[in-house]
Every structure is written in C-alpha cells, then in structure tokens.
Amino acid sequence: MATLGTITQLPKEFFLSAATLAGDGNQKQALAEQRDVFIGDQQPEQAAAGDTRDSVDSQTGESGPTCVTCGMGVSSPSFETQTEQRLHFKSDWHRFNVKLRSVGKAAVDEAEFERLVSEKDEVSSISGSDTDSDDETSVSGRAATQKSSQLMFKSQGGKVFGIWRPVIISEQDSRSLPDVELLHRLVAVTDSAHCWAVILSKGGHFSAAVFDLRPVPPSEHSKANAPLFKELAHKSYHRYVVRAKAGGRQSSKDATGKSIKSAGAQIRRYNEAALEKEIKDTLADWKQLLARADRIFVQASVSNARPIFGGEGAALTRSDPRVRSIPFNTRRPTFSETKRVLHSLLSVFEPSSHALQALTAPAKPAVPKPPKHSPQKAAAAAAPEPEPQPVKEPDPPLHEAAKAGDADKVKSLLDEGADPCQADGRGKVPYDVAADKAVRDAFRRFMASQPDKWDYTLAGVPSPLTDEMESQQMQKQAEKKAKQREKEKERKRAAAEKKAKAAEGARAAAEAEVTTAAAEAAALAARSKQGKASKPPALSRSEQEASKKREQMAAAAEARMARLKLASQQQQLWS
C-alpha cells in the first residue's frame, strides 16, 4: 500500500473536503452490516441471529461465553465476559483456527499456536487473515478483513484513501455510524492526536511505549524532515517462558493437570511470575502517562493480556474506550516494532485493488446450512456455483528483485526511483522480503547515499551502510582472523615445547636407570670375584643358598641393564 502521508502531517483541509467512499448512508450501512467470515466485529447476539457457522462459533453456555472453533468453554474454561469473547474473535489464534477449519483441518490450541508463532517468528506468515496462498484468492475473506479493519474515503480531487478503523472507532462502538459522524471523527482525530500508547506482548516478549504526536520543535532535531513523534517513555522485557520445541507457556501446560517438576519447568514458572510483575509495575509507574493518552493500542493474546488487564488495581480496563486492538499483524515485540506500529496506524494510505473491489462488491446472501439428514451430494448440487476468483496481482519489481536475491537489480531500481516504502498485498515492504544479506546491504547503501529521499523508518531499513563502515568491518574481520592465526601458532608452539620436554625427561630417566643398574651389576661381580680368589672355608647350607641368590640377582641386573640400553638407543632414534 502506497502511503500518502500521516494524520499529523497532512493539512486539515485535506480531511475537511473528504467524503465517504460509499457516497450515501444506505450503502455505507449495508457495507458495515455485511457478515465477517472471521466474526471479528460481531457481538455474540448478532452472530446467533445470522448464519449457522457464526452461531456455532459464538455461543453462551451455562458457564459463560464460548468459542466452539477454538475449544473455549468445551475443552477449556469459557470466557468471563462477552467483551473478552469478542476480543478473542479478533485474535490471530481464532482467525488461524477459522482458516484451518475452512480447509477441513483440525483446530490447534493456544499452546500449539504460540509454538508455531515462536518457530516462524512472525504471526503474519501463519495468520488466517494474511497468508501467501489464500489471501489473494479468497474474495470473501479479504473483503471481510478490509471492511472490519479499514475505512475508505475520497478526497476533493477524487483520490481514494484509507485509514485504520480503530483510529477513529472504538471497539465498544458497534453501531453503524452515519457518514456525517464518520467525517466528523476523521477531522477531530487530526486535532486531538497528541499522545498515543502502543503495548505489545507475545511469547515472553513485552514492549510498550508512550509517544507525543505533537510537532517536534526544530531545536530538538537536526534533520531536514522533523520526526513524526517523540517517545515519552518506553520499556521492553524478555523472559524465557516458552517451552523449547514443544512450544506454549508453562502455565498452559500446567493448566492441563500434569505436574512437571523439571528444572526447566521451575525456571519458566519463575520467569512467568517475574514477567507479569515487571509488566504490572511498569504500567503502574506509567499511570499518569497512560491517563494522558488519547489512544492506547494493545496487541496481546488472552494469556499475554492478563498482566495488562487482569488483577486488582490493573492499569487498564477493557471497557476503556481509548483501548483499541491493533488491526494488523505485528512482529516480535521490541521498541523498534512499537514505532513501526505507530507509524502504520498514523498512515493515510492508498487502498489496494482488492480492498476497493471488496468494498464495492454487493453483499452475498447467507447460504443456509442443509439439514443433517440430507445427503452430501444433494447439498453439493444445491450449492451456488463459485464465482471466478480475481487474478493475483504481481508483486512490484522491487519486491521481486529482493525476493530473488538480485542485489544489483535492487540497486538499479532504487537508483531509478523505485519506492522502498511501498508495501505488497500482504503489507510487507521490499526490505522485509529480502532473500539475503547482500540485498539488505543494497538498501542500506542506498540509504547512506540518499538519506533524505525516503522515510526509511517506514521502509524498515535499520541503518545506513557507508564505504567507510564496510572498510572498517573488513579491517576488523581481518584483524580478528590474524589474531586467530597467531593464537593457533602459539598453541602449536607450546604443544611442541611440551612434547620436547617430555621426551627429554624420559631420556634422562632411562639413562639414570641404566647407570644405577650398571653400578649394581659391577658391585655384584666384584663380590663374586673376591669370593673365588680366596679359598673360602666350607659353607653351611644357608650360606650356599645366599651365595646362589646373589648370583641370580647379578644375572638379573645384567639382563635389566641390557634391556635399558636397548630402550635408550631406540629413544635416541625416535628423537
């Protein structure tokens, strides 16, 4: 989606002269009342009065509101309030299960969904409302998503533009607004946008920030283009709470009734409690800042939202009209991601052709579900013929080059004026779909050469890359390799010296043992000759045995000396 500007940048006259895209109130009301396949904006009472699929998903049991698709109230506890149920219908988990059910697959529980999210790192790659295959081909799914998350207007010059629905309509306001009130709110938000907050929580990652949207004085910035907002406070946390490989929080596993006493489980339980305390303490410290906020945008699943809305003395409540859900998928919660989310919420964009087609297409009548006793063939024959699907729009050239890993073509397109801020049909900018580091470096080099040509925060380019920086990196890498080679040489030199010392010690020990054995043999031989020279008197039996033993010892000493000499010679040859 191409961006025309932001709510705070565009002149007020641009919005004063705008009109709703539908043209009259009746058509606008018909579009607003059309059923959403993901029932993201429906109340349980409205869903029960509509088609059969909605009534199955949204029910109110004896213990409270439920969701049959995800098993809430069936295999797990039900929702405490209908507001919590409606927020669940807007979550990525519910939309992902609806997408699975639509293709005949079994739904997944929240723990399995968080495991998939942690493995793929981005919800957008598995979310039911934003996939590679069905997002472009399913007209009804895209139409419902656009109608529930975006509002379309037409400027005085005939330019169609859109803004995100939660920016001007709260979740508690479920009625159909007339055109006059929509335009009044659109103009009013340009005057009242002073302080907004963004809170993200997912899989052990938490990030929150409060921003001042008022114009920044020139004395506080040095660039030609003034920043869109100024952060008043921000805080990010990360704790190990998701079970490796298995996925899901430890508390979700404990809720099944199984008692796990491993060291890892104890660490995860401690980290969950610590993360919850850190979130509550941060929001409590920001109580005055949050009270000043005009809008508070929150993206968190049911389990991740407990520290934000649950417990006594909670800093926020779901009934607060300032609290809004983020209408698009987010990445891993970081401070940079909160700034990107805020920039997207402030953006005034050109809608895609699919969004315009979905808005102008007539509402499809609900097809009643056939009776249970009807055979499947009869139901298939009675079903209406599928309408031809629109042809998938090709990706922009810059997206194709980035996906293909062609860094030279990316550089050429950027030099020719290709817009790195333009998003494709899935809302991704070219930098997000880059295949490798070479392509990402091409964007960073272009940012260094043309720092003021584009809004690189919106383009997702983190920092510039100059020739000096590359040479410094190469120099550091060369120095690192040289140090490694020198360290390896020193290690080999020390090993050789140690081996030589060991050989010298073994040689000295062998020579000492040979010398000792030779002295012992010479002493025994001298005593033997002295005994033969003189005619000893007749020896007793015990003396004869002692003399015989001395002779045996002398022979053994000579044999030992011969073996040691041979070993010494071999040692000299080896060295």
Side-chain angles (χ1 to χ4, degrees), residues 58-124:
S58 175
Q59 296 179 358
T60 302
E62 297 179 358
S63 59
T66 64
C67 175
V68 179
T69 299
C70 301
M72 301 297 292
V74 180
S75 58
S76 60
S78 60
F79 301 102
E80 296 181 358
T81 62
Q82 292 181 349
T83 301
E84 186 176 355
Q85 182 192 38
R86 288 194 294 271
L87 291 175
H88 166 73
F89 289 153
K90 298 180 182 180
S91 65
D92 293 319
W93 174 34
H94 176 77
R95 288 190 287 177
F96 183 61
N97 281 335
V98 171
K99 178 62 66 176
L100 290 178
R101 291 280 295 273
S102 66
V103 296
K105 296 183 180 180
V108 299
D109 56 11
E110 188 175 8
E112 177 66 14
F113 176 73
E114 290 191 1
R115 183 184 70 80
L116 294 174
V117 171
S118 62
E119 287 181 357
K120 292 182 177 287
D121 194 35
E122 289 190 15
V123 183
S124 59

Side-chain angles (χ1 to χ4, degrees), residues 368-448:
K369 187 176 180 180
K372 293 184 178 180
H373 61 272
S374 299
Q376 294 182 354
K377 292 184 179 180
E385 295 183 359
E387 297 182 0
Q389 303 294 339
V391 180
K392 180 180 177 180
E393 288 186 356
D395 290 332
L398 191 57
H399 285 76
E400 294 180 354
K403 287 181 180 179
D406 193 344
D408 295 334
K409 188 173 181 180
V410 168
K411 181 180 181 300
S412 176
L413 291 172
L414 289 173
D415 292 338
E416 292 174 0
D419 186 1
C421 305
Q422 182 182 2
D424 58 8
R426 296 187 300 146
K428 292 182 177 292
V429 294
Y431 188 84
D432 292 338
V433 299
D436 50 30
K437 185 176 182 295
V439 176
R440 292 190 291 271
D441 287 347
F443 284 99
R444 295 178 61 194
R445 293 189 189 99
F446 183 78
M447 179 181 177

